[in-house]
Amino acid sequence: MSAAGRVRRIAVLPGDGVGAEVVAGPVELLEAIAGAGRIELTGPWPVGASAFGELGTGLPADTLAACDGSDAMFFGAAGEHPGVSLDDYRPEHSIIGLRQRYDLRVSIRNIVRAGEGGGRPLIVLRNLLGGAYGAASTRTESDGTDAACDEVILTPDQITELAEMACDLVEQGLASSIVSADKANLMATSRLWRSITGQVAEKRGVPLRHTYIDRMAFELAHDDVVADTVVLTEGIFGDMLSDLAAGRAGSIALCGSASVNPGPPVQGRCVGLFEPVHGSAPRHTGKGRVNPSGAYLALAALLEWFPETAELGPPVTAALSEALQAGPLTYDLAPAGTEPAGTASFAAAVNARALPRLKELL
Ligand code: IPM
Ligand code: MN
């Protein structure tokens, strides 16, 4: 049965390098969902260094118009592109530009473990704007003579919104507790963070443990923090911890990323950018060998973000978990001495498990 509400429109932006390869399988699922009238799909739209190489801008006007007119962006990768020098175009430009345009101020990342079949992911929740991710006005560049400076500014409202969202995830049954990681033994912003996150969790009756960010890094690397937890932390800490958790899980491809505006849209109707956390992987581009798991996790997060499609997310995650458990796995996860699967054949294994489940719901 379909949830009542509007039909959400998704813009597909494959981006650079392996982006197009990893989104191909998930896009087949999106096409099936669109075929049943449950979403609208537009694209592929050019973005990133490849768009810069072709059109002279990483964020072409047609792409931005299509994103303004969509509820969410399904993004492949931003990175390098042959023939485009890093001096002319910085790969982070497109991602940061889209975050700012749509006020995508919160990042939610899901990290799964291969072979753990069906377990809940570890979630890293952080601010994406503000804090260490302040606007250009918080930065003082240096030509090498004077000091450089990056100001870290966090408001009580920003921290409250993040803490409430972490509690929402626990209440929705997506995790059973929160670990808040900060540097309250050093930074004023962390002391404010610690006091507000504690108050919000107490008010909501959600279990929350405070820890220092360095201890958190140790615990993640040591595998003490299991799935089923929301790691709630400042933007720059979460940037590092999400890569660390993916590394501990076995591959950067085991992390899906949602950058969202939890409030009303500020530009058109777009409120989210959903992508695998890995970049464009220039060394692997065109070889059909990279792991598309992060793009599937991003797809599940996208579907779950909107009430109208929320029920369609878990079947995607379940299909991915099964395919990861059954193998064969892509080169990054394949046991030594086994023949790795390619991107397309691993995606086909996920889709063969996801499509029958989705069709029951469409
Ligand atoms: C990420 C990236 C970005 C970030 C960069 C490109 C600004 O590392 O999405 O994790 O730090 O958020
Ligand atoms: Mn990062």
Side-chain angles (χ1 to χ4, degrees):
M1 201 185 70
S2 69
R6 45 195 264 245
V7 175
R8 300 291 179 168
R9 187 177 302 147
I10 315 300
V12 178
L13 285 68
D16 305 322
V18 297
E21 298 170 45
V22 296
V23 300
V27 165
E28 273 179 36
L29 300 183
L30 281 171
E31 283 166 349
I33 298 169
R38 291 285 297 275
I39 57 163
E40 290 167 10
L41 205 53
T42 76
W45 300 99
V47 72
S50 46
F52 183 87
E54 211 180 305
L55 305 163
T57 167
L59 291 171
D62 285 353
T63 298
L64 291 175
C67 295
D68 289 356
S70 301
D71 297 278
M73 301 169 276
F74 186 55
F75 195 99
E80 294 175 37
H81 186 71
V84 176
S85 146
L86 287 172
D87 294 333
D88 295 330
Y89 187 78
R90 293 290 320 164
E92 61 276 9
H93 175 82
S94 58
I95 293 279
I96 292 178
L98 292 170
R99 285 178 187 168
Q100 286 173 348
R101 183 177 181 88
Y102 301 111
D103 194 21
L104 307 178
R105 55 187 184 267
V106 179
S107 164
I108 310 168
R109 292 188 161 171
N110 285 319
I111 297 116
V112 294
R113 305 287 289 255
E116 267 182 9
R120 288 195 281 206
L122 177 77
I123 303 174
V124 178
L125 179 61
R126 63 179 175 127
N127 55 291
L128 270 187
L129 299 173
Y133 285 77
S137 58
T138 63
R139 310 203 185 278
T140 309
E141 305 291 338
S142 168
D143 62 4
T145 47
D146 291 323
C149 174
D150 301 282
E151 274 184 291
V152 180
I153 303 168
L154 277 173
T155 67
D157 284 353
Q158 286 168 329
I159 302 170
T160 302
E161 179 175 68
L162 292 160
E164 297 278 6
M165 286 181 75
C167 293
D168 292 344
L169 293 172
V170 173
E171 276 183 3
Q172 287 159 21
L174 297 171
S176 59
S177 69
I178 302 170
V179 184
S180 175
D182 61 41
K183 194 69 184 167
N185 48 356
L186 184 70
M187 298 174 77
T189 44
S190 283
R191 289 189 278 276
L192 179 66
W193 180 281
R194 191 168 276 226
S195 123
I196 291 177
T197 54
Q199 284 165 29
V200 170
E202 198 182 329
K203 182 194 77 192
R204 297 275 301 263
V206 169
L208 179 144
R209 169 169 73 93
H210 297 286
T211 193
Y212 293 126
I213 186 67
D214 42 355
R215 173 72 202 178
M216 186 78 240
F218 168 79
E219 289 184 16
L220 282 171
H222 197 249
D223 218 8
D224 298 336
V225 181
V226 286
D228 203 28
T229 308
V230 183
V231 176
L232 170 62
T233 192
E234 204 284 314
I236 197 105
F237 296 152
D239 179 40
M240 295 180 238
L241 291 185
S242 55
D243 276 28
L244 174 57
R248 189 67 187 77
S251 169
I252 193 71
L254 295 173
C255 183
S257 178
S259 306
V260 292
N261 166 6
V266 296
Q267 171 77 40
R269 57 196 260 193
C270 188
V271 292
L273 185 153
F274 298 81
E275 56 174 334
V277 79
H278 61 72
S280 61
R283 281 182 301 124
H284 301 298
T285 300
K287 297 185 179 152
R289 67 195 300 254
V290 294
N291 184 346
S293 295
Y296 279 101
L297 290 168
L299 171 64
L302 186 160
L303 294 168
E304 284 165 21
W305 184 252
F306 299 105
E308 297 84 356
T309 51
E311 61 173 349
L312 306 176
V316 174
T317 318
L320 174 65
S321 298
E322 278 181 24
L324 284 170
Q325 212 169 16
L329 299 170
T330 42
Y331 82 94
D332 50 331
L333 294 170
T338 65
E339 185 61 30
T343 311
S345 73
F346 185 78
V350 178
N351 289 1
R353 291 170 166 92
L355 279 167
R357 287 180 163 98
L358 287 173
K359 282 189 177 139
E360 275 179 32
L361 300 169
L362 294 175

